Amino acid sequence: MKNKSVTIKRIILFCVLAVVPLCIAVPILNHAYDAPIFTSEKGVAAAYVLGVFGMFAPSLAAVLTRLITKEGFSDSYLGLNCKGNLRYYLAAVLVKPAEALIAMLLICAVLLKLPLADAFSDEQIGQKVAAVLIQFGTSIILFFPAFGEEWGWRGYLMPKLMQVMNKPAAIVVGGLIWGLWHAPLTVSGHNFGVDYKGSPWLGILFMCVLCILMNAFLTLMTERTKSIYPASFCHMINNNLSPMILLGIFGSESARMKCIEVTQIRLFALMLPPIAVTAIISFCLLLRKK
């Protein structure tokens, strides 16, 4: 009972330390640019810096919590642990592009109401394939910010939550915390903008659902490998190879033009079905003993 109480205190301290930096920085920047920072034309550079360095807040919170509570770093998930786990590294690279491809087809067929042929224009196909490979390559730039989040969420928070509750509950609670952590960014136009019905509450709700679903797969990879790197690779690719990027590369001119006319939150909504399938499979695998 004492160990459980200590773990809960560490969870609370970690969450406070992870949330505080964004809760301080975002209002200051919004006030400085007299607009939501992610919609301000003058604040593009500041928004980029905020997005990149804000992703390190969870890792910083994990380090501070370990130091303050004298927990140490013995279970830090920093080993590669590749032996016997290469399938998880492979999944980290391939699952998100597959989800993005399916979501791109859903956006084209359901939202844009265009033939699926419009999702794949055969013009300059070689250049388009090269553009996708470049997107993969540039994802490496995002590895360190992605690691900044993952070492905090999957490398610290999730193991702690699974010590005080069952795995399904931990996935939901951890994903909800992760989603709410994004709230200052969502209010400021990150991901969805501010020009949609129900802003910003619908965006916050959507982000929580999205984070709960993604948390299942990211936690599965981290738990199976006892390493934070597969989740970090997956996170960096997810942030740099969205369905909208694929549609911008492969789609026809009419698809790209119609995509511009649709609010971002409606586009993101069609990302949920493939992510939900991955989450359900991950839930089932997490509940298995082997």
Side-chain angles (χ1 to χ4, degrees), residues 3 13 26 38 62 74 110 154 175 190:
N3 289 339
L13 177 60
V26 172
F38 290 97
S74 59
V110 177
R154 256 60 61 179
H190 184 54

Side-chain angles (χ1 to χ4, degrees), residues 55 59 78 142-152 228-229 232:
M55 292 175 73
S59 280
L78 290 177
L142 297 176
F143 172 78
F144 290 104
F147 174 86
E149 280 202 51
E150 291 306 317
W151 195 33
I228 202 60
Y229 299 109
S232 299

Side-chain angles (χ1 to χ4, degrees), residues 5-289:
S5 175
V6 170
T7 300
I8 291 173
K9 289 178 181 178
R10 285 173 174 155
I11 290 171
I12 293 171
L13 177 60
F14 165 82
C15 290
V16 171
L17 293 174
V19 168
V20 164
L22 289 183
C23 288
I24 293 175
V26 172
I28 291 173
L29 289 173
N30 288 346
H31 177 75
Y33 289 95
D34 198 28
I37 186 63
F38 290 97
T39 64
S40 171
E41 294 182 2
K42 296 180 180 179
V44 173
Y48 180 79
V49 171
L50 173 66
V52 170
F53 285 96
M55 292 175 73
F56 285 97
S59 280
L60 179 61
V63 170
L64 290 175
T65 301
R66 288 177 181 275
L67 293 174
I68 293 170
T69 63
K70 299 180 180 180
E71 180 180 357
F73 293 83
S74 59
D75 56 346
S76 57
Y77 287 74
L78 290 177
L80 284 171
N81 301 335
C82 293
K83 186 177 179 180
N85 292 317
L86 290 179
R87 62 189 181 276
Y88 294 106
Y89 279 88
L90 189 62
V93 174
L94 297 180
V95 167
K96 285 303 170 183
E99 289 177 354
L101 180 62
I102 295 169
M104 181 189 72
L105 296 176
L106 288 173
I107 288 169
C108 199
V110 177
L111 193 58
L112 306 183
K113 301 190 184 303
L114 292 171
L116 292 181
D118 280 84
F120 292 98
S121 171
D122 57 3
E123 299 176 1
Q124 301 175 324
I125 188 65
Q127 293 183 17
K128 293 180 178 182
V129 171
V132 172
L133 294 177
I134 290 172
Q135 282 296 121
F136 266 105
T138 56
S139 294
I140 300 299
I141 300 172
L142 297 176
F143 172 78
F144 290 104
F147 174 86
E149 280 202 51
E150 291 306 317
W151 195 33
W153 303 128
R154 256 60 61 179
Y156 189 81
L157 177 64
M158 290 309 301
K160 289 289 183 289
L161 287 175
M162 286 188 283
Q163 290 176 19
V164 298
M165 61 185 73
N166 60 46
K167 286 184 179 180
I171 294 295
V172 174
V173 172
L176 183 61
I177 292 170
W178 186 25
L180 291 174
W181 174 82
H182 285 87
L185 305 176
T186 303
V187 169
S188 303
H190 184 54
N191 283 335
F192 314 125
V194 294
D195 59 343
Y196 58 91
K197 188 176 181 180
S199 172
W201 306 110
L202 182 61
I204 293 172
L205 175 62
F206 181 88
M207 203 66 203
C208 288
V209 172
L210 183 63
C211 287
I212 290 170
L213 295 176
M214 286 185 61
N215 192 31
F217 181 53
L218 295 171
T219 299
L220 171 68
M221 290 189 293
T222 306
E223 279 299 293
R224 289 289 193 268
T225 63
K226 301 303 178 184
S227 172
I228 202 60
Y229 299 109
S232 299
F233 289 133
C234 184
H235 196 145
M236 78 177 185
I237 292 171
N238 176 76
N239 286 12
N240 203 41
L241 202 69
S242 69
M244 284 68 80
I245 289 175
L246 287 181
L247 191 61
I249 293 173
F250 287 109
S252 66
E253 182 67 23
S254 60
R256 292 195 295 269
M257 293 305 295
K258 290 194 73 172
C259 192
I260 294 173
E261 299 171 0
V262 180
T263 57
Q264 293 181 53
I265 198 164
R266 294 180 66 194
L267 293 169
F268 271 86
L270 287 175
M271 291 170 55
L272 287 180
I275 292 175
V277 171
T278 302
I280 291 170
I281 295 171
S282 300
F283 264 116
C284 295
L285 293 175
L286 276 167
L287 293 177
R288 292 175 61 182
K289 293 182 179 180

